[in-house]
């Protein structure tokens, strides 16, 4: 049979059988792509490499020529195979689009279940990032900065890297200039072409990258080992954080996709290399929420290969279910298994658009045809973006293991969309105090104007707080309660990163110390930061683009106050200060703008939540999100103050 005929797949021998693509050599990239498919047993397969790439659109204008027929493939795959061909010898690859009979649904399901094993067994996983389009990638420069990361001791994507870089350049402005030039030099070397690749944005590549024992990135003819890429990324991230206003190219892509994959891969390597606990999938789903899928159900299905065979999560690749059902089933399973932390990733605070169907009086039965994602279910397909400060921002100060201290819980699901759980109503919100100005990008872009607006806001907030009838469950004074509430108790990862990293200060500062220092440096007109901002306020726009030149001449106190100011800006973007009817104080998602919303403990959860009552039935609520209430954080406190409680329904 000539290659003018479509290739006819033959059935695989058994459940461990796979096909490998033998890519024939070619002297020129213009030569037709010749190859052969070979059936092998995965257990004893010869050494092969697995390809990871972006499928692209469904058009298949290109041909692979096999001895017994041809296969039509996408432009992206044809481009990858042309770029990967050797000149004088064949290359053995596993390529999902051709090694799996895509028209055989039974084989496809069986082979997809093997994919994690296939990538783990490969000698190398080749991540094809695309053609270089004639641009020269200077690998020598890139590898130079990989070595620089080694010399500075930047071995992992740790928050402490910022302090390492600051210590290195402290007191030496020439080193600051060198760092800025280094970032520009990497740009000139076309390093951003690598992390800007669409490959980093896709959800399905996560399984492939995590499973790889040796991952290689390839752009056109340029090949970069993952370890070198990671070290350069760590260097760029640390330099940018240390300089505060560093010139990272395509920052959003850098952070949400490439840097995110580094964090997730490190986490994977440090754990058991599979998702063996319900809480772990909450972490991965949160971390990977920005990744793109053609089908939003794949936000969940793409993680199936990372679960052990006996996982209680039991994610089934069922494309007959709609997106809401897939997300709801995953959340329901996690809640049943005791992972109430999933609620912190759900709620109205994570929704861009929300509309409640008429479900209140609905009897148990199927979800309405219009579809509805309950507020207790995370919307994994949402494009809403929130700073990582919110992940774990409301964890109690002692932060002990949830399994030891979370309250016993009883949950049920009377309908597919109604979560029934025990709850203790703490109080009702009396007032919320959001900083609306901080959500204006123009304000945030002008750091001098933003400084003075924040300063006025906190001066007014403190005066209001001191005049309110506030109470709390400790013997601390009001200013302590105020200071701790501003930063959610100082327990978030972002807080710990920020205040372990002040230039000459190496210990973590407590929230009260930071507030008093902020008052002295920023609110007082005698403060160094206030004076610096006043000076810059009258300067030209070009002279205002730096903020305090803290790395060369600012005192430790003013540097710390400046970092604190920046941290408060981040908190204010999505949080608002609250005062309850009984005088409790704290922070809640700024979407909580309705007086009368409820502060409550939910049985089994580690933190309080804001609930929005539904009119017509006092037992039914919408979940808004987690909150911080001064004096009421920590499951031991919750347990001690838990009364009989009520049964509530969250829709």
């Amino acid at each position: 049979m000539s290659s003018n005929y479509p290739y006819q797949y033959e059935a695989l021998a058994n459940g461990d059988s796979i096909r490998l693509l033998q890519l024939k050599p070619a002297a020129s990239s213009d030569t037709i792509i010749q190859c052969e498919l070979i059936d092998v047993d995965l257990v004893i397969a010869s050494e092969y490499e697995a390809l990871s790439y972006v499928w692209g659109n469904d058009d298949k204008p290109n041909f692979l020529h096999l001895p017994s027929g041809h296969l039509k493939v996408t432009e992206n795959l044809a481009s990858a195979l042309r770029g990967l061909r050797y000149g004088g010898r064949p290359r053995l690859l596993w390529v999902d689009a051709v090694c799996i009979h895509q028209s055989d649904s039974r084989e496809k399901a069986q082979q997809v279940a093997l994919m994690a094993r296939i990538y783990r067994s490969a000698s190398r996983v080749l991540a094809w990032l695309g053609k270089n389009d004639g641009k020269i990638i200077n690998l020598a420069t890139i590898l130079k900065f990989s070595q620089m990361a080694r010399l500075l001791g930047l071995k992992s994507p740790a928050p402490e890297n910022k302090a390492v870089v600051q210590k290195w350049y402290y007191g030496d402005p020439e080193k600051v200039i060198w760092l800025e030039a280094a970032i520009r030099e990497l740009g000139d070397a076309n390093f951003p072409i690598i992390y800007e690749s669409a490959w980093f944005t896709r959800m399905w590549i996560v399984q492939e990258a995590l499973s790889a024992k040796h991952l290689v990135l390839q752009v056109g003819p340029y090949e970069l080992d993952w370890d070198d890429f990671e070290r350069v990324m760590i260097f760029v991230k640390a330099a940018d954080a240390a300089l505060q206003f560093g010139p990272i190219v395509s920052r959003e892509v850098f952070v949400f996709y490439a840097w995110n994959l580094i964090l997730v891969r490190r986490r994977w390597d440090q754990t058991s290399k599979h998702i063996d606990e319900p809480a772990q999938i909450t972490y991965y789903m949160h971390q990977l929420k920005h990744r793109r899928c053609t089908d939003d159900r794949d936000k969940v299905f793409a993680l199936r290969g990372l679960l052990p065979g006996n996982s209680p999560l039991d994610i089934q690749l069922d494309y007959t279910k709609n997106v809401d059902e897939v997300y709801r089933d995953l959340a329901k399973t996690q809640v049943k298994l005791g992972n109430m932390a999933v609620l912190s990733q759900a709620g109205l605070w994570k929704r861009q658009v929300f509309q409640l169907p008429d479900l209140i009086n609905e009897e148990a039965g199927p979800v309405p045809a219009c579809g509805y994602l309950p507020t207790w279910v995370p919307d994994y397909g949402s494009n809403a973006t929130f700073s990582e400060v919110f992940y774990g921002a409301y964890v109690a100060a002692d932060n002990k293991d949830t399994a030891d201290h979370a309250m016993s819980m009883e949950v049920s699901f009377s309908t597919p969309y109604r979560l029934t759980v025990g709850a203790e109503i703490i109080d009702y919100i009396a007032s919320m105090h959001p900083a609306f100005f901080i959500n204006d990008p123009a304000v945030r872009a002008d750091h001098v104007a933003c400084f003075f607006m924040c300063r006025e806001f906190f001066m007014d907030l403190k005066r209001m707080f001191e005049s309110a009838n506030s109470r709390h469950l400790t013997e601390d004074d009001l200013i302590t309660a105020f200071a701790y509430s501003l930063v959610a108790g100082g327990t978030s990862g972002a807080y710990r990163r920020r205040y372990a990293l002040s230039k000459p200060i190496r210990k973590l500062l407590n929230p009260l110390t930071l507030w008093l220092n902020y008052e002295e440096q920023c609110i007082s007109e005698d403060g160094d930061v206030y004076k610096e901002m006043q000076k810059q306020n009258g300067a030209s726009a070009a002279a205002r683009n730096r903020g305090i030149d803290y790395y060369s001449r600012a005192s430790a106190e003013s540097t710390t106050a400046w970092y604190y100011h920046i941290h408060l800006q981040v908190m204010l973007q999505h949080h608002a200060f609250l005062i309850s009817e009984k005088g409790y104080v704290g922070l809640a998602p700024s979407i909580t703008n309705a007086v009368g919303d409820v502060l409550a403990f939910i049985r089994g959860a580690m933190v309080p939540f804001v609930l929005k009552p539904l009119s017509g039935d006092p037992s039914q609520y919408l979940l808004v999100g987690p909150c911080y209430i001064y004096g009421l954080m920590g499951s031991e406190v919750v347990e001690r103050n838990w009364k009989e409680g009520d049964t509530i329904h969250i829709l």
Side-chain angles (χ1 to χ4, degrees), residues 14-18 40-46 48 114 117-118 121:
N14 56 59
D16 282 328
S17 294
I18 64 171
V40 299
D41 191 307
L42 180 57
V43 177
I44 56 174
S46 304
Y48 65 92
L114 286 178
R117 281 181 59 196
I118 292 170
S121 300

Side-chain angles (χ1 to χ4, degrees), residues 244-541:
Q244 198 62 51
F245 298 99
I248 283 185
V249 176
S250 303
R251 180 179 296 274
E252 183 173 312
V253 175
F254 183 102
V255 173
F256 287 156
Y257 302 116
W259 183 254
N260 168 265
L261 185 59
I262 288 172
L263 296 178
V264 169
R265 202 163 186 264
R266 279 299 181 115
R267 167 74 175 249
W268 182 257
D269 289 340
Q270 291 166 1
T271 57
S272 55
K273 294 203 174 186
H274 59 249
I275 301 172
D276 57 359
E277 296 179 7
Q280 287 186 7
I281 201 165
T282 301
Y283 167 83
Y284 286 107
M285 294 301 296
H286 171 77
Q287 284 289 338
L288 301 171
K289 63 183 179 292
H290 297 293
R291 296 194 172 275
R292 299 170 188 165
C293 298
T294 304
D295 186 329
D296 276 343
R297 291 171 292 189
D298 288 336
K299 292 271 189 174
V300 175
F301 293 160
L303 295 181
R304 176 63 186 89
L306 303 179
L307 300 173
N310 60 349
S311 172
L313 289 170
D314 191 30
I315 296 174
Q316 298 296 321
L317 276 69
D318 185 353
Y319 286 98
T320 65
K321 294 182 177 180
N322 63 37
V323 175
D324 292 344
E325 288 179 289
V326 172
Y327 291 175
R328 191 179 65 245
D329 286 351
L330 177 59
K332 184 176 179 180
T333 301
Q334 291 186 81
V335 168
K336 283 184 173 181
L337 292 171
N339 180 29
M340 298 298 280
V342 71
L343 298 182
S344 293
Q345 296 305 316
L348 296 177
W349 77 311
K350 293 294 185 78
R351 304 285 178 90
Q352 290 181 317
V353 178
F354 177 81
Q355 183 175 0
L356 179 68
D358 184 14
L359 303 177
I360 295 179
N361 298 313
E362 194 97 11
E363 296 298 327
V367 175
C370 63
Y372 173 63
L373 189 68
T375 58
W376 51 268
V377 178
D379 183 2
Y380 298 118
S382 172
N383 290 323
T385 59
F386 297 92
S387 167
E388 297 306 310
V389 68
F390 304 123
Y391 190 70
Y394 298 117
V395 175
D398 54 13
N399 196 22
K400 294 183 180 178
D401 186 71
T402 58
D404 294 335
H405 297 282
M407 297 180 299
S408 60
M409 59 175 219
E410 294 181 4
V411 299
S412 62
F413 301 88
S414 55
T415 73
Y417 44 79
R418 182 182 286 117
L419 167 62
T420 300
V421 67
E424 175 70 21
I425 305 302
I426 302 168
D427 201 3
Y428 296 85
I429 293 176
S431 62
M432 294 286 293
H433 305 273
F436 293 115
F437 64 87
I438 204 68
N439 290 312
D440 183 346
V443 171
R444 294 200 305 273
D446 186 342
H447 72 272
V448 176
C450 191
F451 170 84
F452 285 107
M453 295 178 79
C454 285
R455 178 177 177 272
E456 290 298 319
F457 174 81
F458 288 117
M459 290 170 65
D460 291 343
L461 186 64
K462 185 187 175 190
R463 282 193 292 266
M464 179 279 303
F465 175 75
E466 290 174 334
S467 64
N469 181 27
S470 299
R471 62 171 287 213
H472 39 86
L473 297 185
T474 74
E475 297 179 356
D476 298 331
D477 56 24
L478 286 177
I479 192 61
T480 300
F482 177 75
Y484 272 74
S485 295
L486 286 179
V487 292
T491 59
S492 73
Y495 178 96
R496 294 179 181 277
R497 289 191 293 273
R498 180 78 66 188
Y499 302 112
L501 305 184
S502 295
K503 183 172 53 183
I505 300 172
R506 291 293 171 258
K507 64 181 180 179
L508 187 68
L509 299 177
N510 70 56
L512 178 59
T513 301
L514 286 166
W515 170 256
L516 295 176
N517 182 64
Y518 177 79
E519 282 192 309
E520 180 180 329
Q521 295 292 326
C522 300
I523 292 182
S524 170
E525 294 184 2
D526 293 326
D528 290 343
V529 179
Y530 177 83
K531 291 178 180 178
E532 177 70 21
M533 290 295 102
Q534 282 283 41
K535 185 188 304 180
Q536 291 199 30
N537 198 28
S540 65

Side-chain angles (χ1 to χ4, degrees), residues 214-225:
H214 185 186
L215 181 60
V216 176
L217 307 178
Q218 185 155 348
V219 183
Y222 302 102
E223 190 176 285
L224 181 64
D225 192 88

